Amino acid sequence: MRDDGRKWDAPPEYSQPLTGAGVRAARVWPQRQVLISAPDVLARIEAAGWPGVVRGDSYALSLRRDRVLEVDGPPRDEGWDGRQAVTEVTDAYAVIQIEGPQALALCRRGTELSLSHPSRSVARQMFGLPVFLYRWQTEDRFRLHTPRGYGQALWQTLAAHMRQMRP
Amino acid sequence: MSGTRTETGGLIDRTKTLRFRFDGRGYAGHPGDTLASALLANGVRVLGRSFKYHRPRGVWGGWFDDPNAILDVGLDGNAIPNCQATTTPLLDGMESRAVNAWPSAARDVKGGLDLLHRWLGAGFYYKTFIWPDWHLFEPTIRRMAGLGAVDGKTIPDYVADQIHDSCDLLVVGGGAAGLAAARAAAEAGQDVVLVEDHADLGGGLYRRGGEVEGRSPADWLAEQRAAIETAGGCILSSTTAFGVYDHGLVGLATDRGFARAPRLTRMRARRTLMATGALDRPLTFADNDRPGVMSLQAAAEYLGRYGVLVGRRIVVLSNNSAGQSAVAALRAAGAEVVEADPADGPIRALGGARLNGVQVGDRQLACDSLLVSGGLTPVVHLWRHAGGKLDWSETANAFLPGAAPEGMAAIGAANGTFNLQAALEEARAVALGKPPAPSASSYTIRPLWPEPGAKGRQWIDFQHDVTLKDIELAARENYVSVEHLKRYTTLGMAADQGKTSNMAGLAAMAAIQGRPIPEVGTTTFRPPFVPVPLELYHGARRGQLLNPLKRLALEPQHRQAGAALGEYGGWLRPGWYGGKPARDAIRDEVQMARSSAGIFDGSPLGKIEVMGPDAAAFVDFVYYNTVATLKPGHIRYGFMLTESGAVYDDGVIARLGSEHFVISCSSSHVDGVETMLESWRQDGNDPDRIFVHDATQHWATLAVTGPKAREILGALVLDLNLSRDVFPHMSFRETIFAGTPLRIARVSFTGDVSFELSLRTAKAADLWAALTMAGAEHGAGPIGIEALSVLRAEKGFIIIGKDTDGETMPHDLGFGGPRQKKKTAFVGDRGLHSEAANAPDRRQLVGLSVPEGSPALPTGAHLVTGDKPRSEGIVTSSYISPTLDRPIALALLARGAARHGEVLRVWHMGQVRAATVTPPCALDPKGARLDA
């Protein structure tokens, strides 16, 4: 029973992106994130894995063989609809976008990552935190979803690694 | 030794001068020098003192193999202790000092300790400092021992960079073999990474001299580098492969400059080629530790790489053919070189700190430098890290790589291929996965190992002062295993980890016992191969990021309200508010909550959704309590058990629809409960008919608890009837707040009227503002976890893990019904009917009261009875209740439920107090407040 508040930085202002040598990271705020689970969900919903590049503003990420995370998709009724389980998790995951020629190098500071090692799932551990990692729109732009409570830790971790990315 | 700088040659830049100091005196060197090469070029011969006897020591090796020259180095206000002079690049302005010596390495006041050597042999302190107590001597010995000194300052931003990488082929060593292999593989389309621990490529080529495949070494190296890079290969210089770990993972440390933490690369290589070369090993003879006795290989290295001629009058003692080119190069540089045969008789270095000759049999030779080569020892550390075997070679008189570990091969001198052309051919073949063509080795060696019983003090381990006599002593005392020998004598335990001493040590033990060397074997090779700063493993994962806590969306609001923040179950949460002393703040919050209401941020509470056609049967199975009968819109309290029947979690479950449940488990148990649900879903159930979604962090949960809770919620103007008849305790409603879906659960952890309001986290601040504003009108405000803990303890409500332990079962807590009556299978059922579960002396939850005026009982205190005190239970929670104005406590007590009214003794840290056993609930046992 003690006050440890001073040991933990107050939540940062996410309005300012992090910038480093050849890399930039910024919080992004999807309008909607929805978990959809069903035995045949991957057959019905096209979902991205690694290292494919997600195109379009509305997309789904493959989390496992019976689950996707739909990002900025249409509104859906929650619960079990007879075919699939749907839960809105828009605020459950903080999303950070990393881009630039050194973006992959920054990601590699957190996990073993290779464009030549594909994965059906975007779920992995990075910097010791659970994340969904994928490429978005272009080949050097990455998005990371992490449980919201770890958003600040991931943000601070990226900032710390960017400081080390000097030649 | 009287070293000098040559006019030409080496990789140094003679056009620039770097000023530096050593032991208080100023010197000059050039870019490209190491501290050792610059000091040698300045004629400095004593660079250190040995660990135990404080014997003067000069440089033995040319790179990572030197055990002697260890310096504390400072530059621009930053200091690094224990730098190897032979591997530390020289920088302008460096201030260096020999460790373990004062005032200087040349004139160390503790040098007199050497006179006592007769009484300071191996293990002397085990025998000498036993009586009366080792701890009497320990502080003094610790002060005397050790090497460099830490100055107590931190170096700003000394943080290791860490990166993961992968490749098809990792080549360790940028010498001729490594380069040839890397080029062949890269040109064949492999993704190749080559690492070299020097700043420059070339390995042993500088000391070898001569041409490489018809070209000068410089031209040949430039061509290989260009070819590798053109073919897409990557070359990392100043990078040491310091360890091989599971599944082809190789740790690489890249030097980023003085006082800057290195970069760690975790390299996952499909295949690793070990082209790490071979070291020259010492010969063991009398006074072989004198400054001026140096490795022949190192002398050639200093000449070829740094342009330093280590002496003018040189005697070479070599038992092998590898040093011929070195002898020629030294002569060409102007040295007078005499080659003596070490087999000609007993050898003794002559002179004191300044070597002036050597006695070989009857022959006495004057010299200023004695260059020694006892044979080449392949550098096989990485091979052994990976689990590769070593085979003893009689022809090479060395351990060579034998059966290969998976994904690894050795080439060049590291594989015992000492001939350059043969090494190049072998490297190119192995790089492409082909067997190398057999070649005859031109390397010859005559075995020359330590001779037991030889006269004089003959050093085996230079840094740790282990002599041949120490090995003999260890053998006499039956420390004959090399692992025991190492630990008894500290052989090979110095900073160089036995790179120069292990072969001589085990050969000496073999000779003493009359066993062949391979039968004695080697000690275990462990990473790191060279010393690396602990910071290498640390990196950015420090401070707050070492074990980051989850952070609340409302943390800014809590900070603004003066919250004291602490870790509770992996979250940073408010313990109390208002900037007051904790005790006062908690008391005030409890009183506020009991008289008006408290507003509590319970966002971490679990919100795990279970959906699907089999959801109802599934939650009935994972809960101890019957859940299948729960109607939509209602809530039930229950336990989840382990398979052995112990309480794992408690919480409430709400039914949103016929096939849709929300489990609100303990805040700290969300991940564990989700994992447990997933594992049971996939085991014994149809995973296609049950789905588990963790939506905990999508929802912020704010609880309003207290007699004014209903009025405060009324101020939110919700489209909801909050009256107790319409919205009773343990029911659930969904509505809209400020355009956002709001879930309200009427559950209570305080015993007062409570509402738990959950809405999407992005809107939490709006709800917090509305509740605190409405609450203020009723004298209500935020409460922290500490106040909540008191409030629930007043009611006898438990916290799992605090008021329960790994053996507590639900019937110990007064929830025995389902154990007797539940018909359907559930997790933990069998465990609840075991002999242990039916034991008559199970510890059961009780309350405790203390005599009037007594302070609160210590949490953790033992409840004891009998003349011979025996613990029958422990106090699990204890507080001063602000509501009751007296101490309250919860405890687990053997047969506790049947002992209400009994007076017990409470033992804690030798003090005994009295307490009376009571029911757990101390406030409003009939629950009148709950439904007020």
Side-chain angles (χ1 to χ4, degrees):
Chain A
M1 193 173 73
R2 63 181 186 209
D3 183 3
D4 285 342
R6 69 187 183 287
K7 296 181 181 173
W8 299 86
D9 291 346
E13 288 292 333
Y14 292 108
S15 53
Q16 289 298 315
L18 301 172
T19 53
V23 64
R24 177 180 185 276
R27 277 290 294 268
V28 291
W29 310 87
Q31 291 298 303
R32 187 174 294 110
Q33 299 184 72
V34 178
L35 287 176
I36 306 173
S37 294
D40 60 347
V41 70
L42 290 181
R44 291 188 285 107
I45 299 176
E46 185 182 341
W50 175 263
V53 180
V54 172
R55 311 283 183 187
D57 293 328
S58 171
Y59 53 91
L61 307 171
S62 167
L63 304 186
R64 56 191 222 193
R65 63 185 174 83
D66 59 0
R67 181 168 299 169
V68 301
L69 179 75
E70 189 178 65
V71 181
D72 289 338
R76 291 180 184 269
D77 290 335
E78 293 189 66
W80 177 256
D81 67 1
R83 193 167 66 159
Q84 59 192 17
V86 176
T87 302
E88 184 178 351
V89 288
T90 305
D91 295 344
Y93 296 101
V95 185
I96 297 174
Q97 184 166 296
I98 303 170
E99 56 194 315
Q102 290 301 310
L104 180 61
L106 176 59
C107 292
R108 279 181 158 184
R109 278 161 169 77
T111 189
E112 290 191 47
L113 193 65
S114 166
L115 298 176
S116 57
H117 292 133
S119 172
R120 285 289 299 275
S121 173
V122 297
R124 62 175 79 224
Q125 289 264 326
M126 270 180 81
F127 303 107
L129 302 172
V131 300
F132 306 143
L133 170 71
Y134 56 99
R135 296 197 286 176
W136 187 69
Q137 302 288 20
T138 64
E139 294 195 339
D140 64 354
R141 185 181 294 151
F142 300 80
R143 279 190 170 181
L144 291 165
H145 299 229
T146 196
R148 200 207 56 75
Y150 285 133
Q152 183 173 343
L154 181 57
W155 184 259
Q156 291 176 311
T157 299
L158 292 172
H161 280 277
M162 280 188 191
R163 283 197 292 276
Q164 297 305 316
M165 287 177 66
R166 291 173 286 161
Chain B
M1 192 180 303
S2 53
T4 52
R5 184 77 72 181
T6 57
E7 295 292 325
T8 58
L11 305 180
I12 53 164
D13 180 0
R14 289 179 175 79
T15 63
K16 292 178 184 155
T17 300
L18 305 177
R19 303 283 170 191
F20 71 105
R21 296 175 71 79
F22 170 66
D23 273 354
R25 293 188 61 181
Y27 299 98
H30 300 294
D33 263 327
T34 61
L35 273 168
S37 70
L39 286 167
L40 287 171
N42 281 279
V44 179
R45 53 192 302 158
V46 180
L47 271 70
R49 289 276 166 167
S50 65
F51 183 75
K52 188 162 68 173
Y53 300 133
H54 285 253
R55 299 261 295 187
R57 289 287 155 76
V59 172
W60 158 265
W63 191 235
F64 52 65
D65 56 323
D66 181 65
N68 292 338
I70 311 289
L71 311 182
D72 288 343
V73 183
L75 181 67
D76 299 332
N78 297 321
I80 304 279
N82 296 328
C83 298
Q84 237 179 331
T86 50
T87 61
T88 304
L90 181 68
L91 295 173
D92 193 51
M94 272 183 162
E95 180 80 41
S96 61
R97 183 166 287 283
V99 301
N100 203 31
W102 189 85
S104 68
R107 303 175 190 284
D108 177 29
V109 294
K110 290 183 187 164
L113 280 172
D114 193 35
L115 299 172
L116 306 175
H117 70 87
R118 195 177 301 277
W119 296 281
L120 301 180
F124 76 96
Y125 47 89
Y126 301 137
K127 302 164 184 167
T128 311
F129 301 116
I130 293 291
W131 187 88
D133 185 350
W134 152 251
H135 295 292
L136 288 176
F137 306 101
E138 186 185 1
T140 306
I141 291 174
R142 286 203 184 282
R143 270 198 300 278
M144 290 181 70
L147 297 174
V150 178
D151 69 352
K153 298 178 193 165
T154 55
I155 298 173
D157 203 25
Y158 191 77
V159 180
D161 189 18
Q162 298 185 335
I163 191 165
H164 300 77
D165 209 343
S166 61
C167 62
D168 292 334
L169 181 70
L170 175 68
V171 180
V172 182
L179 286 163
R183 178 178 179 175
E187 290 180 341
Q190 296 184 47
D191 174 19
V192 175
V193 174
L194 178 140
V195 296
E196 163 58 38
D197 52 3
H198 286 89
D200 300 287
L201 297 174
L205 290 180
Y206 301 105
R207 61 175 178 261
R208 176 183 173 274
E211 293 188 329
V212 187
E213 297 184 320
R215 273 152 287 177
S216 73
D219 290 347
W220 188 87
L221 289 170
E223 183 188 322
Q224 307 314 308
R225 174 189 277 278
I228 292 167
E229 291 179 341
T230 302
C234 172
I235 296 173
L236 299 174
S237 57
S238 301
T239 300
T240 304
F242 62 83
V244 180
Y245 304 88
D246 289 350
H247 309 297
L249 185 74
V250 183
L252 307 177
T254 301
D255 182 17
R256 295 195 293 169
F258 186 77
R260 195 165 167 215
R263 171 178 294 129
L264 168 66
T265 303
R266 295 182 174 100
M267 178 66 75
R268 186 78 64 182
R270 282 185 204 277
R271 222 156 53 100
T272 299
L273 288 191
M274 191 179 72
T276 43
L279 291 175
D280 216 348
R281 57 179 175 252
L283 288 172
T284 306
F285 55 87
D287 293 331
N288 58 340
D289 67 326
R290 296 283 187 213
V293 180
M294 180 188 261
S295 145
L296 175 59
Q297 186 186 65
E301 182 79 5
Y302 285 110
L303 183 61
R305 190 181 284 269
Y306 304 107
V308 177
L309 185 59
V310 297
R312 288 285 171 188
R313 299 182 69 193
I314 295 172
V315 170
V316 169
L317 283 172
S318 172
N319 66 339
N320 63 82
S321 61
Q324 285 310 306
S325 59
V327 171
L330 291 164
R331 282 184 177 137
E336 177 191 321
V337 182
V338 175
E339 294 182 79
D341 188 344
D344 279 353
I347 307 166
R348 175 184 292 277
L350 305 174
R354 179 167 292 276
L355 183 83
N356 58 24
V358 59
Q359 178 93 33
V360 184
D362 298 333
R363 199 172 162 206
Q364 191 161 323
L365 301 164
C367 63
D368 59 23
S369 301
L370 179 55
L371 305 184
V372 174
S373 175
L376 293 175
T377 300
V379 179
V380 294
H381 297 63
L382 300 179
W383 190 262
R384 292 292 297 127
H385 294 174
K389 304 295 182 193
L390 298 179
D391 290 338
W392 176 254
S393 166
E394 286 296 344
T395 53
N397 239 243
F399 284 106
L400 303 182
E406 191 179 341
M408 203 170 204
I411 54 175
N415 197 35
T417 310
F418 302 130
N419 177 278
L420 178 61
Q421 194 54 43
L424 293 172
E425 289 168 10
E426 175 188 66
R428 289 169 182 140
V430 173
L432 300 176
K434 299 174 186 168
S439 64
S441 175
S442 58
Y443 175 71
T444 56
I445 181 170
R446 285 174 295 151
L448 193 65
W449 297 109
E451 290 181 23
K455 290 184 178 176
R457 300 171 71 191
Q458 308 199 2
W459 260 260
I460 303 284
D461 186 317
F462 294 124
Q463 191 180 110
H464 269 188
D465 277 329
V466 179
T467 63
L468 181 57
K469 283 190 167 52
D470 291 321
I471 310 285
E472 292 168 329
L473 175 68
R476 281 202 302 279
E477 299 189 349
N478 205 30
Y479 294 102
V480 292
S481 151
V482 282
E483 297 289 3
H484 293 160
L485 170 68
K486 169 179 173 176
R487 282 149 187 86
Y488 188 63
T489 63
T490 71
L491 168 75
M493 290 168 70
D496 71 329
Q497 288 286 286
K499 291 185 179 69
T500 51
S501 60
N502 274 357
M503 280 303 298
L506 67 92
M509 182 54 80
I512 291 165
Q513 295 187 282
R515 300 161 67 196
I517 288 174
E519 200 175 291
V520 173
T522 66
T523 52
T524 306
F525 294 77
R526 294 188 181 90
F529 168 64
V530 291
V532 293
L534 285 174
E535 171 52 41
L536 187 73
Y537 305 100
H538 199 177
R541 200 155 184 176
R542 61 181 58 236
Q544 300 171 42
L545 301 177
L546 183 66
N547 185 22
L549 297 182
K550 298 183 191 120
R551 310 295 283 267
L552 294 166
L554 293 177
E555 188 179 315
Q557 284 78 3
H558 298 319
R559 285 181 182 268
Q560 197 170 9
L565 299 170
E567 182 192 347
Y568 295 92
W571 288 82
L572 188 67
R573 304 183 67 178
W576 61 92
Y577 291 86
K580 288 183 279 190
R583 204 169 172 173
D584 297 344
I586 295 163
R587 180 198 62 219
D588 292 351
E589 288 174 18
V590 171
Q591 287 176 339
M592 176 180 70
R594 290 293 184 211
S595 61
S596 173
I599 300 164
F600 176 74
D601 185 353
S603 298
L605 276 170
K607 271 90 56 174
I608 300 175
E609 306 213 343
V610 180
M611 294 163 283
D614 290 354
F618 178 66
V619 293
D620 204 55
F621 171 71
V622 295
Y623 266 96
Y624 168 66
N625 313 70
T626 299
V627 182
T629 55
L630 184 67
K631 292 184 169 52
H634 285 78
I635 293 172
R636 193 161 288 170
Y637 174 78
F639 294 107
M640 285 187 197
L641 311 182
T642 65
E643 283 183 84
S644 59
V647 175
Y648 175 67
D649 191 64
D650 73 336
V652 296
I653 177 166
R655 188 166 197 169
L656 274 61
S658 61
E659 296 168 333
H660 191 181
F661 295 82
V662 178
I663 290 174
S664 180
C665 57
S666 308
S667 301
S668 59
H669 266 171
V670 174
D671 293 341
V673 167
E674 191 200 2
T675 303
M676 183 177 169
L677 292 171
E678 268 301 337
S679 61
W680 282 116
R681 167 185 170 265
Q682 297 175 34
D683 183 1
N685 291 283
D686 184 347
D688 290 346
R689 296 172 62 83
I690 306 158
F691 292 95
V692 178
H693 287 170
D694 177 15
T696 300
Q697 298 196 37
H698 175 67
W699 298 92
T701 300
L702 303 179
V704 185
T705 178
K708 299 289 186 186
R710 195 172 277 115
E711 284 91 328
I712 293 169
L713 246 65
L716 301 185
V717 198
L718 303 171
D719 184 17
L720 198 65
N721 186 337
L722 297 169
S723 70
R724 72 180 214 184
D725 298 331
V726 178
F727 191 1
H729 181 55
M730 300 306 273
S731 59
F732 178 90
R733 299 287 182 273
E734 293 181 86
T735 183
I736 299 292
F737 168 75
T740 302
L742 180 70
R743 292 175 173 176
I744 306 180
R746 258 216 70 187
V747 291
S748 176
F749 196 40
T750 65
D752 273 316
V753 175
S754 298
F755 297 88
E756 282 184 7
L757 295 83
S758 298
L759 82 175
R760 60 175 293 189
T761 302
K763 298 290 184 184
D766 296 342
L767 183 60
W768 177 263
L771 288 174
T772 50
M773 187 183 296
E777 291 183 17
H778 297 276
I783 61 170
I785 288 194
E786 297 295 342
L788 186 72
S789 298
V790 179
L791 290 163
R792 62 89 206 177
E794 290 175 341
K795 281 294 292 181
F797 294 158
I798 58 164
I799 293 176
I800 299 290
K802 178 169 174 58
D803 300 301
T804 65
D805 60 24
E807 296 182 350
T808 306
M809 293 178 169
H811 55 284
D812 302 327
L813 304 169
F815 292 84
R819 175 172 176 251
Q820 304 297 342
K821 297 174 186 164
K822 189 171 177 178
K823 302 292 185 201
T824 54
F826 62 93
V827 177
D829 188 7
R830 288 187 62 167
L832 294 181
H833 297 286
S834 63
E835 188 177 340
N838 285 303
D841 59 349
R842 290 196 63 81
R843 291 186 171 187
Q844 297 166 327
L845 182 71
V846 295
L848 296 174
S849 66
V850 295
E852 194 170 339
S854 290
L857 296 168
T859 302
H862 288 270
L863 309 176
V864 298
T865 57
D867 295 335
K868 290 184 177 176
R870 175 176 161 270
S871 177
E872 296 194 9
I874 54 167
V875 177
T876 59
S877 292
S878 177
Y879 309 94
I880 301 281
S881 164
T883 314
L884 302 167
D885 196 24
R886 65 170 174 83
I888 56 168
L890 298 174
L892 287 172
L893 174 65
R895 307 178 313 283
R899 297 171 71 176
H900 293 179
E902 185 177 332
V903 177
L904 299 171
R905 283 177 291 152
V906 181
W907 184 94
H908 182 70
M909 307 284 281
Q911 294 194 328
V912 179
R913 310 229 330 249
T916 305
V917 181
T918 67
C921 179
L923 176 75
D924 185 28
K926 294 186 176 168
R929 297 175 67 104
L930 190 64
D931 264 329

